[in-house]
Amino acid sequence: MEKLVLYGIDASAPVRSVLLTLNALELPLEYKVVNLMAKEQLRPEFLTMNPLHTVPTLDDDGFYVYDSHAINAYLVAKYGKDDSLYPKDLQQRAIVDQRLHYDSSVVGRTLRAITFPLFRLNETEIPRARIDALEDVYATLETFLTINKYIAGKQLTIADFHIVAILSIIEIFLPVDAGKYPKLSAWMQRIAQLPYYADGNGKRLEQCVAFFKSKKFTIV
């Protein structure tokens, strides 16, 4: 197979979810960092690949896929040795899809309500209600994990990669309390033990964590 090319930045949770999937599948990869501040994503050659000018963007021998959820589903369907990470069984897949939509429609928006004002508007105060919304996310994930060992069932799936990637950022603002959320805390520790976790997510967090902590934000 041709080497896959992934365009992204380490600070992006969606990008890191794709890196986790690529590592889990042991696929050869060329990783190209896109300088968003320099607007490299708006260059004609990038817009040809992805008119939404977002990361991650995957180039599979001239076939372009964007949106991390679509990318990960595609990678498992095409290159997985089996379907465990994205099951073919329709009922199991429906649960994985539900978790993926929860990630994009609820978890992502909840975090963006905090990070966008800090990053784009240079605000330093976070309303308490936005932190409380993170508590609601934790409570929902705890419920998922009370039912099953993993986010979308009894086995590891791409849903776990998406959730752990974004929770790694959410914890900057609200660390997971193991007393309140024992299942979620144990799950995060379990995912962190995966042999490819450090390369796909763990070691790529430093710059992002440092940036938000440098904002010296307060919760009001």
Side-chain angles (χ1 to χ4, degrees):
M1 62 170 286
E2 295 288 335
K3 183 183 292 184
L4 298 164
V5 180
L6 180 68
Y7 296 83
I9 56 171
D10 286 355
S12 164
V15 169
R16 284 182 277 108
S17 76
V18 174
L19 287 168
L20 284 168
T21 301
L22 286 162
N23 287 352
L25 296 173
E26 299 181 331
L27 296 175
L29 167 72
E30 181 180 355
Y31 182 47
K32 293 188 176 182
V33 175
V34 180
N35 188 335
L36 302 182
M37 301 306 293
K39 300 188 183 302
E40 290 182 354
Q41 76 279 17
L42 299 179
R43 292 177 178 176
E45 58 269 27
F46 193 91
L47 291 173
T48 298
M49 295 187 295
N50 178 357
L52 298 182
H53 50 82
T54 55
V55 293
T57 294
L58 180 75
D59 177 0
D60 183 4
D61 194 23
F63 177 68
Y64 307 116
V65 192
Y66 37 93
D67 183 279
S68 59
H69 307 85
I71 292 172
N72 285 335
Y74 170 79
L75 287 171
V76 176
K78 183 172 182 180
Y79 295 110
K81 296 177 182 177
D82 54 47
D83 68 338
S84 61
L85 288 175
Y86 192 53
K88 293 179 181 177
D89 178 88
L90 292 180
Q91 292 187 359
Q92 293 180 34
R93 177 169 289 194
I95 295 174
V96 175
D97 287 342
Q98 189 278 324
R99 304 303 195 253
L100 296 178
H101 289 299
Y102 178 71
D103 170 59
S104 60
S105 64
V106 177
V107 186
R109 289 186 179 183
T110 303
L111 177 60
R112 181 177 171 79
I114 293 173
T115 58
F116 184 84
L118 293 177
F119 181 60
R120 293 293 187 184
L121 306 179
N122 291 316
E123 295 181 5
T124 57
E125 294 184 345
I126 302 172
R128 168 59 64 180
R130 294 178 186 174
I131 299 299
D132 292 341
L134 297 180
E135 290 274 14
D136 292 341
V137 167
Y138 285 174
T140 298
L141 294 175
E142 182 74 10
T143 299
F144 291 162
L145 292 163
T146 298
I147 300 170
N148 288 298
K149 184 177 180 181
Y150 293 99
I151 291 295
K154 297 180 181 179
Q155 63 190 26
L156 182 75
T157 67
I158 58 175
D160 294 280
F161 297 156
H162 282 275
I163 296 298
V164 78
I166 198 165
L167 253 60
S168 301
I169 302 301
I170 290 178
E171 277 214 294
I172 299 171
F173 307 101
L174 182 68
V176 173
D177 184 337
K180 292 176 66 175
Y181 309 110
K183 300 290 187 181
L184 180 58
S185 177
W187 168 82
M188 291 186 72
Q189 294 178 36
R190 188 160 58 248
I191 298 299
Q193 295 304 310
L194 293 171
Y196 45 81
Y197 174 84
D199 182 66
N201 190 61
K203 73 179 185 181
R204 298 180 185 273
L205 291 167
E206 295 179 3
Q207 186 177 8
C208 186
V209 171
F211 170 78
F212 283 115
K213 287 188 174 180
S214 73
K215 302 296 286 185
K216 297 185 173 16
F217 59 84
T218 56
I219 300 170
V220 297

